[in-house]
Structure formats: structure tokens, C-alpha cells
Amino acid sequence: QSTWGPILSRTRMTGHLDRANALFVDEEFTEALSEYTLELQTNGLNADVLLKRSACYQKLGNLKDAINDCDNALALDPTHKKASLRKGVLLFGAERYEEARAAFAPFVSDPTFAMHVRKCDACIQMAQTSAKSVAVTLSKSLPSPSPAAATSSTSGPHSAETNSTPSPVPSSSPLAQSQPEKKPNRFTHEWYQSDSAVTVTILARGLKSDQVTHEFTSHSFSVSINLTANDTWTLDLDLCDEIIPESSTVTVGTTKVELRLKKARPVKWLSLEQTNSSAYSTAVWADTSKMNKHAYPSSSQKKKDWDELDHQVAQEDKDEKVEGDAALQKLFRDIYSKADEDTRRAMNKSYVESGGTVLSTNWKDVGSRKVEGSPPSSAPSKD
């Protein structure tokens, strides 16, 4: 991860919002909270800033104010999907499933929200089943009154007071058991970029794909990792520049969660998060064609143009005439070298899954299915 980008961004900052964003990335949540509050006091209420402050409250363990900021953001803009998503995730983590479902419900047509609604329904049903089970367990664990006890209850003036004492709940009862509260886990993230994409890596081990939910917009992303019923970790960032949501992906691996954000334009990001100093957020990639050509130390008086030699070798390889299988292999290499990423993925997947008998360049066709082998008609049958 490049370190000079964020440093440059911090040195150019003049507003409360810029400083707050940088402090949040540095995990200085108390200071970031103060800066977000000053931004709201200075420039008025803003739904996006309220959500950023809500994230600070969440990191500091202040659930009440985190939800309150989501409510205020929705009051300003009832169609703000990110505010509904954050509110629902916070309520779900607090096991307030009915309220969480109500927060997700307005956008249930969105697949991410629909998934959260299903999870809420499952937890509500599980809680109802558990409550019935506890009631049955308690009824079985309480001792039945004996005839003698029933007789004594009416025989003396002090018997009513004695019998009114509640029986202790057995230690084996579910009500007597409590789980220690776990401290929220914190994951670090890093990022790097190419001219076409930004990759964000969240270092988290042992996650399953159904624990990770995400939402992409053209200028932001939100990723939530559900660790337990009471513990949800969220990374919610406004991005430095525009991305293409439908071409961006999330991959859950054994040691990390990787987000690949497709850039909308081939510029260099000087920071991951958006800042008010937009003039310093991006830069045009350097034109390497005008840089100094390669030169290597040598005692020879005659200087060699190594770039020109590389060009000559490449041209000779290109002009070389080959026949048979070699020509076919050269054709495939040429197609692969000039192909975009989806085409390369299609070629690799189809070739490997078919045992070398199928080579497709259409990722939309082979990306969602297993490519079956297609042996030549002259090949003997294995049946």
C-alpha cells in the first residue's frame, strides 16, 4: 500500500470533513467524531456526513447515537439506501430484529436488502421458537406441589408468606446462563490500483461468503461482516473517484476479503477516500513513452539502444513464420496478449475445465457454468 498518497491528502486539507475522513481512516475515531460534528455545525445537516458520524459512534460503541444519526439522515432523505442499510445492520447487531426488518423493508427489491430481510425473518422465527422452548423447560424444572404442601398452605397464619417465596431457577435453565460479551473484532484494510481498477483488501481469516454483504454505488461502497449475532464490522467509504458498480466484485477468501472496484476513467487515485480537495484526488497516469530510455553501465565507447534491440527481437518473433501446431499456439498467444481481462478469464476457464478441448473467449457464456469437454469426432469413445 502506498503511504505517500494519504500523506499528500492530509497536507492539502483545510476543511473539517477532510480532516475527519483522514482521522477515521487512521482509526482515530474520537477526533474524527469531533471534526464531523464541527462540519455539521458549520455547513448544516447533510445525510452523508451524518452517516460518517454514525460510523464513528459505532466504532466507539455508542449504538444509540449511531442509530439516531441514521434516523436524521433518513429524515433529510427518505430514499437514502445507505442510511437504511446502516440502520438495519446496527439494529440487527443489537438483536432488535423486528426494527431491523422495518429498516430494510423499504428497499426489499434490492437483492442486498432482500437478503437482510430474510435473515431478520429467520432470527425472528428462531427467537420465537427459543422462547417457547424456555417456557417448556421452566415448566418441567419447577417442582409440583405435594398434597402436604397444599394442606399446609391453609393451616397456619404464616404459611401464605412462606409459600409465596418463588422457587430458584435451576442453574441448568437457559435463563440462568449468560454468554460473556465479546469485544468487537477489528480488521485492517489496504489498497492498490492499476489504470483500470482499484483493489481493496480486508485482512479477515476464516469467513464464509454468507457472512459478507456489500453495496456498490458510483462513488462509494459499503461492506459488512457479520461475526456473531451481536457483532457486525462495517467498512463504509466514499471513494476518491467514480467506479462502475456493475463491473465491481467482492471475493471472500480463506485469509481476506477482496474488493475489485472498476474505475470509470483511467486516472491515478492519490487516496482511497474522497476529499474536498478534488484537485489533489486524482492524477493522469505518467506517459512512459517520453521517459529516458534504458541505459546500462558499460566500458564500451559505443552506446547501445537496448529499447531498440528489444523492439527488433519482438518484430522478428512477430514476423517468424510457423506452421502446424506451433502456428495455432502462436495464434492463441496473440489473442491472449491482446485480450481484455474477461476474455482471458474465459479462455483460462474453458481450457482448464474442458481438459484442453474447448477454448472460449465469451466470459458471459462460460462464466456461470462448467465447460464440458468436447473431444474430436475421430477420438475413440470412453464408454
Side-chain angles (χ1 to χ4, degrees), residues 88 91-92 94-105 115-133 229:
L91 290 167
F92 188 90
E95 296 186 354
R96 294 159 60 177
Y97 304 125
E98 295 279 2
E99 296 173 77
R101 192 189 191 286
F104 294 130
M115 180 199 65
H116 281 295
V117 168
R118 290 194 299 271
K119 290 178 65 176
C120 289
D121 289 339
C123 289
I124 292 170
Q125 184 177 2
M126 187 181 300
Q128 293 172 347
T129 304
S130 178
K132 293 179 181 178
S133 176

Side-chain angles (χ1 to χ4, degrees), residues 13-29:
M13 290 176 191
T14 56
H16 296 299
L17 183 57
D18 284 347
R19 288 195 291 272
N21 289 339
L23 288 166
F24 187 89
V25 172
D26 292 341
E27 298 187 353
E28 299 174 13
F29 302 122

